[in-house]
Amino acid sequence: MASIHLGACLSGGWRLFKRHPVNHVVAWLLVGVVGSISAGLLIGPMLVGYMRMMAKEDRGESTQLGDLFRGFDDFVPAFVAGLISSLVLWVGFMLCVLPGLLIAALPMVALYLVATGEGDGVAAFSRAWQVVTKNLMASFVGMLVLGMVGALGLLLCWVGVLVTGPVSMIAMYYLARQLVGDEPELLPAP
């Protein structure tokens, strides 16, 4: 079982956001807009690109908004992993909501695996399924807390979501990292 440190996820999310807040707000909005315009079909490659952008920034490398579109370099695996995991998640929500809530981390973990080099979308989904079901309660609690953090910005007339949305998304990247076993101590120092 993976050890989940939500505090490390949130502090890592805040730390990366503070480095380049405008880039993260624009990237988060672009992921949402492109995902919406494409009826969700391009959300997988966009999230893979955003995760790669986060990973570069996490390593101390310079980033630019163009990095967001690097997920299209692995379009097929990102599309397949995103589609399969989203469909399974949708089925989970259709089964009285609770099963969907329990596996809510599935798409993020599958896309994280593609972002870190898994070239097969089905294999990324399969490994994500194993990781999430093995760590069911940790992934559920993690996604619930991080989702609530993201939604907190809605309380400030929607403006606050421009901060809480990207911070929550970055924190979900760190959660996926922890769930697959990447070392939590690799988080950047303050």
Side-chain angles (χ1 to χ4, degrees):
M1 290 190 124
S3 177
I4 303 302
H5 304 283
L6 284 176
C9 294
L10 287 167
S11 65
W14 179 245
R15 194 169 22 259
L16 279 188
F17 178 79
K18 283 191 319 185
R19 287 184 189 163
H20 302 287
V22 174
N23 278 0
H24 285 289
V25 169
V26 172
W28 180 75
L29 287 171
L30 279 172
V31 167
V33 168
V34 170
S36 296
I37 290 172
S38 67
L41 294 175
L42 298 180
I43 197 88
M46 291 296 290
L47 281 173
V48 166
Y50 192 23
M51 287 185 199
R52 287 180 176 163
M53 186 175 132
M54 289 181 235
K56 272 181 76 173
E57 191 173 340
D58 199 20
R59 291 188 302 265
E61 300 172 20
S62 65
T63 60
Q64 51 189 332
L65 278 175
D67 293 332
L68 181 63
F69 298 97
R70 298 298 301 195
F72 286 93
D73 294 348
D74 292 307
F75 178 80
V76 172
F79 176 78
V80 169
L83 182 65
I84 294 172
S85 58
S86 294
L87 287 174
V88 170
L89 184 63
W90 178 78
V91 169
F93 276 110
M94 293 298 108
L95 297 172
C96 296
V97 179
L98 184 59
L101 287 174
L102 289 173
I103 60 170
L106 191 59
M108 288 300 287
V109 173
L111 294 172
Y112 172 79
L113 291 168
V114 172
T116 57
E118 176 58 63
D120 181 352
V122 175
F125 165 76
S126 178
R127 182 160 173 226
W129 177 262
Q130 291 170 353
V131 166
V132 170
T133 55
K134 184 178 175 183
N135 301 290
L136 203 55
M137 288 312 293
S139 63
F140 163 71
V141 169
M143 289 300 285
L144 182 67
V145 169
L146 298 178
M148 289 187 330
V149 167
L152 281 176
L154 299 174
L155 298 175
L156 299 172
C157 299
W158 291 78
V159 177
V161 83
L162 294 176
V163 172
T164 61
V167 168
S168 178
M169 181 67 68
I170 299 166
M172 287 179 193
Y173 157 78
Y174 284 118
L175 178 67
R177 255 178 75 167
Q178 290 180 11
L179 285 169
V180 300
D182 288 351
E183 301 297 322
E185 51 270 11
L186 291 178
L187 295 176

